[in-house]
Amino acid sequence: MTIDDLISNLDSKAVGKEIYALIEELFPFCRSITGDGLRKTLRILQKHIPLEMHEIPTGTEVFDWTIPKEWNIRDAWVKNSKGERVIDFRKSNLHVLNYSIPVHKTLSLAGLKDHLYTLSEYPDWIPYKTSYYRENWGFCLSHNLLSSLSDNNYEVMIDSTLTDGHLTYAECLIPGKLKDEILISTHVCHPSLSNDNLSGVCTAAFLAKYLGGQKHRYSYRFLFIPGTIGAITWLYLNQHSVDTIKHGMVLTGLGDSGKITYKKSRQGNAEIDKAAQHVLACNGQGNSVIEFSPYGYDERQYCSPGFDLPIGRFSRTPYGEYPQYHTSADDLDFVQSDFLADSFSTLFNILNILENNGFYVNLYPKCEPQLGKRGLYDEIGPHQLAMLWVLNYSDGKNSLLDISEKSKIEFQSIRAAANILIKFNLLK
Ligand code: ZN
């Protein structure tokens, strides 16, 4: 099947439900930028798609960064003087400052408070905090729980390890007709949070699953990597072969109820930027396209000036613009299968444009060819205007997508016109 056939046969609502079920399955694991929670997650993805796992040892230098020690955690708690767990890692893995060093001691409430993090604006929610590159320990809890703690001694225990080990990431290559690649990258390092970024991880896995075994022009490379350090590591290890990447997207935050937001690549006018812009404009749902900025997710690394790859970012509500971001409220109720389905089918439509875009040449460029005598009018149907645009602008310098932009005619109509002109030997 081609991607066209796939799109017309796709029951995206059903795919949305499958993506949601995978999010539910992965939600409980305590992931981080290294460690067994991350490995376990990737092994579950491996049941759906062929994944090649990579383990990079602690201490490896990757550009200006160093692979950190590996972090693992079994349990953590704060007990009151009665021996009751008042903060319990088993209830939510967000309770532990991610990457906390092991600790076991007794502290006064005042001493304990130096290591507690809350969110006073949303007193029921637990914030998500990390300390990857500075050794520290701490607990995150709801502000209401903090207010209920009496002035007493507390026993604190974090049963974690921070030792030499590995950074784990995985990639999935789906070969196409060309060696040229479309890169889809998603961060897989957050613990029990749904939208950021299990929605991205699971949508990417299903894109890979549906593309597998189909006919497509491009090869597709999917990266499931810990944020920042994972992208830096991958770029370091693959710096001499990134020329094969022709287009790409970072996927994150795909299951919330907000509109889709596409953030352009640093190039700003790359084919992926035009394709995403076109699809979002055509579906008329008030989706938005924003310019590149050097903050955000792993587009920061792919679009660093030494690489400047044509990679944009595809999200719904941008990170930080919804209060649930990086809190326990980014839970399984916050993402919905219908929004995942919408993200999934929109992504497929963008990929379909990339698959079918191309540069053509009008074989009768001197004045208009006489269309009537070729019987073209019967065939061209609703694409007559599109045909005139294609004939005029197919000079080898304008792609079908460029012509679609110039004419404000949908890409699929431009493409249909081009296919008919090819059939009648007026275009090649
Ligand atoms: Zn995040």
mmCIF file of all heavy atoms in Angstrom, residues 128 187 190 196 297 325-326, ligand 1:
data_model
loop_
_atom_site.group_PDB
_atom_site.id
_atom_site.type_symbol
_atom_site.label_atom_id
_atom_site.label_comp_id
_atom_site.label_asym_id
_atom_site.label_seq_id
_atom_site.Cartn_x
_atom_site.Cartn_y
_atom_site.Cartn_z
ATOM 1 N N TYR A 128 6.669 18.095 38.884
ATOM 2 C CA TYR A 128 7.706 17.179 38.386
ATOM 3 C C TYR A 128 9.010 17.965 38.326
ATOM 4 O O TYR A 128 9.080 18.988 37.641
ATOM 5 C CB TYR A 128 7.297 16.668 37.001
ATOM 6 C CG TYR A 128 8.423 16.104 36.167
ATOM 7 C CD1 TYR A 128 9.214 15.045 36.627
ATOM 8 C CD2 TYR A 128 8.702 16.619 34.894
ATOM 9 C CE1 TYR A 128 10.246 14.531 35.843
ATOM 10 C CE2 TYR A 128 9.726 16.111 34.112
ATOM 11 C CZ TYR A 128 10.499 15.070 34.594
ATOM 12 O OH TYR A 128 11.518 14.575 33.824
ATOM 13 N N HIS A 187 11.201 12.491 22.893
ATOM 14 C CA HIS A 187 11.910 12.228 24.160
ATOM 15 C C HIS A 187 11.119 11.256 25.025
ATOM 16 O O HIS A 187 9.897 11.308 25.087
ATOM 17 C CB HIS A 187 12.275 13.510 24.901
ATOM 18 C CG HIS A 187 11.122 14.339 25.361
ATOM 19 N ND1 HIS A 187 10.453 15.194 24.534
ATOM 20 C CD2 HIS A 187 10.532 14.445 26.574
ATOM 21 C CE1 HIS A 187 9.493 15.799 25.225
ATOM 22 N NE2 HIS A 187 9.512 15.354 26.452
ATOM 23 N N HIS A 190 10.574 11.092 30.577
ATOM 24 C CA HIS A 190 9.740 11.602 31.669
ATOM 25 C C HIS A 190 9.026 10.450 32.368
ATOM 26 O O HIS A 190 8.583 9.509 31.714
ATOM 27 C CB HIS A 190 8.703 12.580 31.140
ATOM 28 C CG HIS A 190 9.264 13.913 30.710
ATOM 29 N ND1 HIS A 190 10.572 14.090 30.348
ATOM 30 C CD2 HIS A 190 8.674 15.128 30.600
ATOM 31 C CE1 HIS A 190 10.769 15.371 30.028
ATOM 32 N NE2 HIS A 190 9.623 16.016 30.164
ATOM 33 N N ASP A 196 3.270 15.100 28.065
ATOM 34 C CA ASP A 196 4.717 15.319 27.921
ATOM 35 C C ASP A 196 5.429 14.167 28.636
ATOM 36 O O ASP A 196 5.649 14.270 29.829
ATOM 37 C CB ASP A 196 5.090 16.676 28.510
ATOM 38 C CG ASP A 196 6.580 16.956 28.423
ATOM 39 O OD1 ASP A 196 7.234 16.374 27.545
ATOM 40 O OD2 ASP A 196 7.086 17.739 29.247
ATOM 41 N N TYR A 297 12.268 21.847 22.929
ATOM 42 C CA TYR A 297 12.683 20.441 23.064
ATOM 43 C C TYR A 297 13.933 20.175 22.216
ATOM 44 O O TYR A 297 14.741 21.068 22.003
ATOM 45 C CB TYR A 297 11.519 19.531 22.688
ATOM 46 C CG TYR A 297 10.388 19.567 23.704
ATOM 47 C CD1 TYR A 297 9.290 20.403 23.533
ATOM 48 C CD2 TYR A 297 10.447 18.786 24.853
ATOM 49 C CE1 TYR A 297 8.269 20.447 24.476
ATOM 50 C CE2 TYR A 297 9.431 18.816 25.792
ATOM 51 C CZ TYR A 297 8.342 19.647 25.605
ATOM 52 O OH TYR A 297 7.335 19.687 26.527
ATOM 53 N N TYR A 325 1.223 21.133 32.655
ATOM 54 C CA TYR A 325 2.581 20.816 32.186
ATOM 55 C C TYR A 325 3.522 20.561 33.370
ATOM 56 O O TYR A 325 3.585 21.347 34.309
ATOM 57 C CB TYR A 325 3.085 21.996 31.349
ATOM 58 C CG TYR A 325 4.551 21.934 30.998
ATOM 59 C CD1 TYR A 325 5.018 21.055 30.040
ATOM 60 C CD2 TYR A 325 5.464 22.765 31.642
ATOM 61 C CE1 TYR A 325 6.368 21.005 29.715
ATOM 62 C CE2 TYR A 325 6.814 22.723 31.321
ATOM 63 C CZ TYR A 325 7.260 21.834 30.359
ATOM 64 O OH TYR A 325 8.588 21.786 30.057
ATOM 65 N N HIS A 326 4.233 19.444 33.319
ATOM 66 C CA HIS A 326 5.192 19.058 34.370
ATOM 67 C C HIS A 326 4.569 18.993 35.766
ATOM 68 O O HIS A 326 5.196 19.410 36.750
ATOM 69 C CB HIS A 326 6.423 19.977 34.360
ATOM 70 C CG HIS A 326 7.413 19.585 33.294
ATOM 71 N ND1 HIS A 326 8.699 20.076 33.229
ATOM 72 C CD2 HIS A 326 7.318 18.715 32.263
ATOM 73 C CE1 HIS A 326 9.337 19.532 32.195
ATOM 74 N NE2 HIS A 326 8.504 18.706 31.589
HETATM 75 ZN ZN ZN B 1 9.115 17.950 29.736
#
